[in-house]
Amino acid sequence: MTEAQKSQKAMRRAESLKLNDLSDEPRAWLGSRKFVTGLRLVAYTVSMMVFGMICSALGPSIPWLAENADVSPETLGYLPAAQAVMCIISGLASSVVALLPRRYHHCLLCVLTLWLAGFFALLPAASSSIFTLILVYAFQVLPRPWIGQMTNLLVSQLFDDPSISSAAQSLNQGGFALGCVSMVLLEEYASEAFGGAAVFYMAGGFTALSAFLFLVLPRLEDQQAEKEAGSSQRLSISAFSVAAACLSVLAVGVEVACGTWLITAMSQTGFDSSVASSSTVVFWILFAMSRLVLAPALCKIFRPRPSFVVILGAT
């Protein structure tokens, strides 16, 4: 074969490879890291949205549950107590997630979310007795710390840039707040049209459907988790980290107290039920906007240090 023939053959081969690359371009785009990362962020945010619906359901539903159980709303003060105890126990136990290989995280999240949806849908049937109501509610609370911790951890690992990672985590928490707003609106309007029990069934159904989003996502790689685990072992716990964790506990306490008891407290102090519900909606809307718009924009534009964000949020 002459040199000219070899040159022509090489050119034809290069053109063929170029055509193959063009035909595979959509497939390569779908399999790109940016697309997969965006898909995971959307799935995690949708999951947190329906998770927020479940977590915020207690406050708006206390009057209906109390009437169904034939007790006063004050008697259902045992439910937040049961929620707090179960969250502490389950939250401490959820630290073993670090020992679970990453390839099983999505499957575990699917199972835990289905657990949450199932027990939440059982609350109307269990509300005929205060004992069964507290028992079922406690089992419904059990997977919450696992779901929240695992989802937050996965979102924090999506981006290498700390500022972008902070914006993604804020967006994810904004999805949680949107779920809280949706639950208040659902209870306000759907309960009048379909009854109080239908609210639990619809929220449980949405949560169950969101669980299967985790099965659609690509399987996580263990090698990256092992690398991250190895690097985390070299880190030491600083005084700032402890202070930020304590501040987070206080902030969550305020959010839970407002989201749970605001409607009941305003109703007992003479406010109309519509005013109480509207105040709760405004609270969760501001909660959502600060995480969906304000915090991501600040992190993206100014790229502040984490310590500055914590101090600014605390003030």
Side-chain angles (χ1 to χ4, degrees), residues 117-305:
F119 276 99
F120 186 80
L122 288 175
L123 284 175
S127 63
S128 58
S129 168
I130 187 66
F131 175 77
T132 56
L133 177 60
I134 293 176
L135 185 64
V136 172
Y137 187 81
F139 275 99
Q140 178 259 150
V141 172
L142 190 61
R144 287 190 192 177
W146 293 72
I147 296 172
Q149 179 173 320
M150 292 181 67
T151 306
N152 291 332
L153 177 64
L154 291 173
V155 172
S156 68
Q157 296 172 347
L158 287 176
F159 301 96
D160 297 329
D161 190 332
S163 61
I164 299 178
S165 179
S166 298
Q169 293 177 67
S170 183
L171 180 68
N172 186 250
Q173 291 300 313
F176 178 89
L178 279 180
C180 296
V181 175
S182 301
M183 189 63 200
V184 175
L185 296 176
L186 187 66
E187 196 279 334
E188 178 71 19
Y189 298 105
S191 60
E192 296 180 0
F194 307 105
V199 175
F200 291 88
Y201 300 145
M202 286 188 284
F206 293 149
T207 306
L209 289 176
S210 71
F212 296 104
L213 285 175
F214 295 112
L215 301 182
V216 179
L217 297 176
R219 191 174 69 173
L220 301 173
E221 298 178 0
D222 291 338
Q223 185 177 1
Q224 183 180 356
E226 294 170 359
K227 188 184 300 182
E228 292 165 356
S231 61
S232 63
Q233 291 176 357
R234 295 189 293 268
L235 298 177
S236 59
I237 300 176
S238 63
F240 176 78
S241 299
V242 175
C246 294
L247 182 63
S248 176
V249 171
L250 296 176
V252 171
V254 173
E255 293 169 2
V256 171
C258 290
T260 302
W261 290 110
L262 184 59
I263 292 179
T264 303
M266 292 186 66
S267 299
Q268 290 178 347
T269 51
F271 287 93
D272 187 71
S273 59
S274 60
V275 176
S277 299
S278 300
S279 300
T280 305
V281 171
V282 170
F283 169 78
W284 287 118
I285 286 177
L286 294 176
F287 183 91
M289 294 304 294
S290 66
R291 285 153 178 79
L292 286 173
V293 179
L294 182 60
L298 290 176
C299 293
K300 182 67 176 177
I301 296 173
F302 298 102
R303 297 181 178 270
R305 297 178 61 183

Side-chain angles (χ1 to χ4, degrees), residues 81-150:
Q83 173 176 278
V85 172
M86 293 302 292
C87 281
I88 292 173
I89 296 174
S90 182
L92 293 174
S94 64
S95 60
V96 302
V97 170
L99 304 177
L100 183 71
R102 276 169 54 97
R103 63 178 179 272
Y104 299 126
H105 281 194
H106 287 161
C107 293
L108 180 59
L109 278 171
C110 178
V111 172
L112 292 174
T113 306
L114 288 174
W115 177 340
L116 176 66
F119 276 99
F120 186 80
L122 288 175
L123 284 175
S127 63
S128 58
S129 168
I130 187 66
F131 175 77
T132 56
L133 177 60
I134 293 176
L135 185 64
V136 172
Y137 187 81
F139 275 99
Q140 178 259 150
V141 172
L142 190 61
R144 287 190 192 177
W146 293 72
I147 296 172
Q149 179 173 320
M150 292 181 67

